[in-house]
Each structure stands twice: as structure tokens, then as C-alpha cells.
């Protein structure tokens, strides 16, 4: 909202270095979840816009300045982008808070930290080395090169728009690709603001493009476009599966990060105060709207009641309200369908016979105003077979499940279709290593939760995803290997047999 005029802020698509309206001329509203009111107008992109963007990205990949840049120069551009992000981090954080309802207290640090992805992959750009392969054939020289794939389509969810973009954009550009990004229809503004920074950095036109719009109207055409080489997706497993199927028709590569139902496991030998905080950060941080949410809290029977009591006492103190206020600890749910979905899961859990020991309803505290707030909710008496223990809620709703011993903790922990993350709280070293070995998850945290870094691979086992993000290795997900054979023989030998 432009507070001076009371009108909605109007955004445009960013295609081929230009700010343009959608082909249809249509727009849709983006809401501020704290007020429940629209504040911006986003272009409603469709297949025509996607086609324009993909063609621009393909052109930028094959002609002009971008393919001529040395890897070192590409790296320098990415590092410059990192500097500009660091400069503008407060502004980006405020947009994210307004559009998404994330806490300023968290976002201020997160947008600044985001610069690290661009520094790291910028640094990696000129360290992608092929090798000389020892040849078993006389008079030949064989070496490998890593080459970019082409146009990458990135499809981003609403829970961490800029950070999840950085995880894809930084390595994709470092590897020499170009990109078309489709942000979530609920949170498109921050990415469009970010494009102003891309523009300032001096990337050639068409290297990074943004088409906003809805999944079926703008997402599907991006997945299906024949000039897109790979889709990098973060979101729900249901949409991930649809995208995988569509990508298969074009034999496209995919990388996917699809959420979870992560177990956060507390043993009776844990440092209890820390474990309570760990449980809180697993489920109430970011209002539970994180793929890595520790939404199943497994507590050893011997300490179950006492632990739950302390957890409830701590969670009761959580301050809700304006996400722009640095004191707020639990903000709103990002969008209305998600708000309704969280409330629906609360009803489902109650009908499954759980005990509500905290919350269990929409928040009506005065400081929550007309926003989409749900009370931090804790259910006990949960069986792992219940829907509340099996399905991703993506909200501040915790299912507490008791267990007897290590063996049972492992069995329950792994008994879901997902495998993104797991937490373990123990002071016993043998137990820590054992659990880290046995839990089927892409990330295991011991005596901490929600630690994520550009340096460390991140991704899912089972239905939580395909491929990894972050760390050195994953840049290969944006590269393809070429094997080059050069003959030094004076004469071509017998052409009728394999060389
Ligand atoms: P979604 O997975 O449907 O949407 C993610 C992105 O995919 C958005 O940009 C959307 O426009 C796009 N999309 C949707 N359908 C598409 C299609 N057929 N082809 C191409 N692109 C498509 O997630 P949504 O609807 O925002 O949330 C639904 C549920 O997903 C949530 O309730 C939550 O449980 C889960 N979720 C999980 C996330 C995670 O990081 N694991 C992130 C966001 C949501
Ligand atoms: Mg919004």
C-alpha cells in the first residue's frame, strides 16, 4: 500500500531486462497477512509471458555478453550482487515481512545472510575444474569439461521467497546458466524488488527473468517449455509430483525440495531446558511454516509429562502480533488458504482423539487484529499413524508422541513418507551418533535445530525431494559433463572396429 495515496503498489514482470505488464494485462492482489488486506498488485502472467521470458533467457545463454564472460568475471558479478543485497537487506526484509508475515526479528538477519550464497557460489564459479582422464587407447587425449545446462526454470514457494531463490539462483548463475523464476502467487513482491538489485548489478538482459502468476497458468508452461533444461522446485510434494511428471515428458532434469514431517526426538538424558527451546524453534519459529519444521515431537516416556509441562509453560509466553515489531515471536500464517488448512488440521487432530494441551484454535488476541493468526498448538496422546502425525500441516501445530527406547524412537521417527530433517536431544555421544546414522533424513541435528548454511548440503530422503541444495557438490546439479577425445595419431586406424 502506498500510504500517501492509499492505492495499491503496482508491480511489473521482469523479462529481458525490461519491466513489462503481463500479456493479458491482468493483475491479482497480494495480501499482508498481518492486516488481512491487499497491499500490492501483481501481474498475472501466463504461457505467453513465460514463452517471452524463456526465449529471452535462451538468447542470453547463447548470445551476447553472458556466455563470453569468463568464470572469474561471472563470479565477480555474483559477489557484487552479494554486496548490493547486504546494502539493501533491511529494505528486502521489510517487503518480505509485509507480504509474507515473517518476523522482522528473523528477516533482518536472514536477508543479510542471504548475501553469503552469492559470495560462496561467486567464489566457486572459477573453481569448477574438469579432469584429464588417463587414456587406455594409444595416441588419444581425453578430458572432461563441466558446462552449464541452459535455461533453468525456478519455481519458488511462499515461505522463504528470497532465501529459497538464492539457493537456486546463485549456483545456477555461477555455473553459467540463465534463469526464469516463478515465485509463489502469495509472495511475489520481494522477488520483484530483488530484480531491481539484479538490474543494478549489471547482469546482461535476459540472464534473470521473473514471471509472476498462478501455478497452472505460469508454473506449468514454464515446466513444459521445450527450451527449459531443468526445473528447480521447492514446495509441496503434491505439486512436486505433478512437476516431475510434466518434466519427464520433456526429459528435463529436476531438483526438488518437498517438505516433511520431521521428528524432533528428546531422550531422558537431554539437557531439558535446551530441548524445550529446541522443540519451540522446531515448530513455532516462522509460525511452523518451514519445510524443516520439527512437527513431530518424540519424547521419551520417562520424562514425557514433565517435559510437556515445561514446553507448554514456555510456549505460553510466546508473544504474537505485528511481525514488524522486533518483540514479536509468532507471526501470522502467510495466506488465507493456508490459515484455513491449519485450522482444518486442528479439527482433524481433535477428531482423531488427541489431547489439546495448548492452543487449538484461531488466535483472537487483540494484538492479532484481523490477521491470519493461529494459536501455538500442542497436541499430546498422538499416535504416529494419525493424519496429524503423517501429513505436513505447515503451521504452528505440534504433535507429541511418546517412545520407550532408541529402537522405538528410530522406528517412529522413520515411519513417515518424508525424510527432510530430524532433531535429537541427548548428552550421550554413542546415542547421538547412532541416531544420526539411523534416521532417514537429509539433515540430522543433535542438540540444535534449524541450522542451515550455504556451506552444507540440504535436501530430502524419500518423498522430501530429489537432489541437494547448498555446498560445493551441488553446483554439479546445474552442470553437465562433456568428455572430449582428441586423437594425436598420424593416421585413422581401421574404421570398422571401435576405437
Ligand atoms: P505449492 O507446492 O502448490 O506451490 C509452490 C509453487 O509451485 C508456487 O510458486 C506455485 O505457484 C507453483 N505451482 C503450483 N502448482 C503448479 C503446477 N502444477 N506446475 C508448476 N508450478 C506450480 O504450494 P502452495 O499451494 O503454496 O502450498 C500448499 C502446501 O504446500 C502448503 O499447505 C504446505 O503444506 C506445502 N508447502 C511446503 C513448502 C516446503 O518448503 N516444503 C513450501 C510451501 C508450501
Ligand atoms: Mg502476501
Amino acid at each position: 500500500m502506498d500510504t500517501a495515496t492509499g492505492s495499491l503498489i503496482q508491480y511489473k514482470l521482469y523479462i529481458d531486462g525490461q519491466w513489462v505488464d503481463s500479456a493479458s494485462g491482468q493483475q491479482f492482489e497480494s495480501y499482508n497477512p498481518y492486516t488481512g488486506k491487499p497491499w500490492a498488485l501483481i501481474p498475472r502472467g501466463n504461457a505467453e509471458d513465460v514463452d517471452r521470458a524463456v526465449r529471452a533467457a535462451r538468447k542470453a545463454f547463447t548470445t551476447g555478453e553472458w556466455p563470453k564472460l569468463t568464470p572469474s568475471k561471472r563470479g565477480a558479478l555474483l559477489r557484487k550482487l552479494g554486496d548490493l543485497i547486504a546494502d539493501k537487506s533491511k529494505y528486502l526484509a521489510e517487503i518480505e515481512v509485509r507480504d509474507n508475515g515473517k518476523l522482522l526479528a528473523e528477516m533482518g538477519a536472514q536477508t543479510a545472510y542471504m548475501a553469503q550464497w552469492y559470495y560462496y557460489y561467486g567464489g566457486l564459479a572459477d573453481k569448477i575444474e574438469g579432469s584429464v582422464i588417463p587414456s587406455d587407447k594409444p595416441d588419444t587425449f581425453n578430458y572432461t569439461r563441466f558446462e552449464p545446462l541452459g535455461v533453468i526454470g525456478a519455481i519458488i514457494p511462499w515461505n522463504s521467497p528470497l532465501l529459497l531463490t538464492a539457493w537456486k539462483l546463485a549456483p545456477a548463475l555461477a555455473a553459467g546458466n540463465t534463469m526464469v523464476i516463478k515465485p509463489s502467487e502469495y509472495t511475489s513482491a520481494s522477488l520483484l524488488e530483488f530484480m531491481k538489485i539484479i538490474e543494478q548489478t549489471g547482469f546482461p538482459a535476459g540472464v534473470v527473468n521473473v514471471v509472476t502468476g498462478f501455478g497452472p497458468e505460469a508454473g506449468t508452461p514454464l515446466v513444459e517449455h521445450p527450451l527449459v533444461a531443468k526445473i528447480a522446485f521447492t514446495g509441496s510434494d503434491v505439486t512436486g509430483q505433478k512437476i516431475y511428471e510434466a518434466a519427464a515428458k520433456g526429459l528435463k532434469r529436476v531438483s526438488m525440495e518437498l517438505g516433511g514431517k520431521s521428528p524432533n526426538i528428546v531422550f531422558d538424558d537431554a539437557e531439558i531446558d535446551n530441548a524445550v527451546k529446541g522443540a519451540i524453534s522446531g515448530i513455532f519459529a516462522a509460525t511452523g511454516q518451514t519445510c524443516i519444521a520439527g512437527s513431530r515431537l518424540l519424547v521419551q516416556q520417562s520424562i514425557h509429562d514433565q517435559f510437556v509441562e515445561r514446553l507448554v509453560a514456555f510456549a505460553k509466553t510466546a508473544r504474537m502480533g505485528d511481525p514488524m515489531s522486533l518483540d514479536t515471536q509468532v507471526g501470522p500464517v502467510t495466506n488465507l488458504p493456508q490459515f484455513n488448512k491449519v485450522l482444518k488440521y486442528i479439527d482433524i487432530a481433535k477428531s482423531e482423539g488427541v489431547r489439546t494441551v495448548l492452543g487449538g484454535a484461531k488466535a483472537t488476541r487483540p494484538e492479532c487484529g484481523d490477521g491470519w493468526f493461529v494459536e501455538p498448538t500442542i497436541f499430546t496422546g498422538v499416535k504416529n499413524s494419525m493424519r496429524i502425525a503423517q501429513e505436513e500441516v505447515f503451521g504452528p501445530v505440534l504433535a507429541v508422541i511418546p517412545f520407550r527406547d532408541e529402537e522405538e524412537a528410530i522406528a517412529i521417527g522413520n515411519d513417515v513418507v518424508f525424510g527432510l530433517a530430524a532433531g535429537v536431544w541427548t548428552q550421550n555421544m554413542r546415542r547421538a551418533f547412532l541416531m544420526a546414522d539411523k534416521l532417514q533424513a537429509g539433515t540430522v541435528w543433535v542438540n540444535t535445530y534449524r541450522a542451515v548454511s550455504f556451506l552444507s548440503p540440504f535436501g530430502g530422503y524419500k518423498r522430501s525431494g530429489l537432489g541437494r541444495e547448498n555446498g560445493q557438490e551441488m553446483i554439479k546439479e546445474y552442470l553437465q559433463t562433456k568428455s572430449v577425445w582428441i586423437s594425436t595419431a598420424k593416421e585413422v586406424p581401421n574404421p570398422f572396429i571401435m576405437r
Side-chain angles (χ1 to χ4, degrees), residues 54-114:
V54 172
R55 285 182 192 286
R58 181 68 201 174
K59 194 167 135 235
F61 180 72
T62 48
T63 61
E65 287 307 307
W66 182 247
K68 286 192 214 137
L69 283 183
T70 61
S72 304
K73 291 251 169 65
R74 274 203 315 265
L77 261 180
L78 283 166
R79 289 195 296 278
K80 184 174 170 199
L81 173 58
D83 286 343
L84 291 173
I85 290 169
D87 278 355
K88 297 269 162 58
S89 64
K90 191 162 173 287
Y91 179 69
L92 291 174
E94 283 169 9
I95 297 285
E96 203 88 297
V97 173
R98 186 170 311 144
D99 204 20
N100 176 297
K102 285 184 97 78
L103 301 183
L104 189 61
E106 177 163 78
M107 286 318 291
Q110 198 184 88
T111 45
Y113 187 44
M114 208 167 74

Side-chain angles (χ1 to χ4, degrees), residues 30-33 39 98-101 185-188 334-335 372:
S30 198
Y31 285 76
N32 177 338
W39 71 279
R98 186 170 311 144
D99 204 20
N100 176 297
E185 53 274 33
Y186 300 113
T187 55
S188 305
T334 299
N335 58 70
W372 301 319

Side-chain angles (χ1 to χ4, degrees), residues 1-2 117 210 218 233 238 245 257 314 326 330 374 424 436:
M1 177 89 71
D2 183 332
W117 269 262
V210 175
F233 174 73
V238 175
E245 283 166 11
E257 195 273 277
F314 195 111
L326 290 175
V330 178
V374 175
V424 179

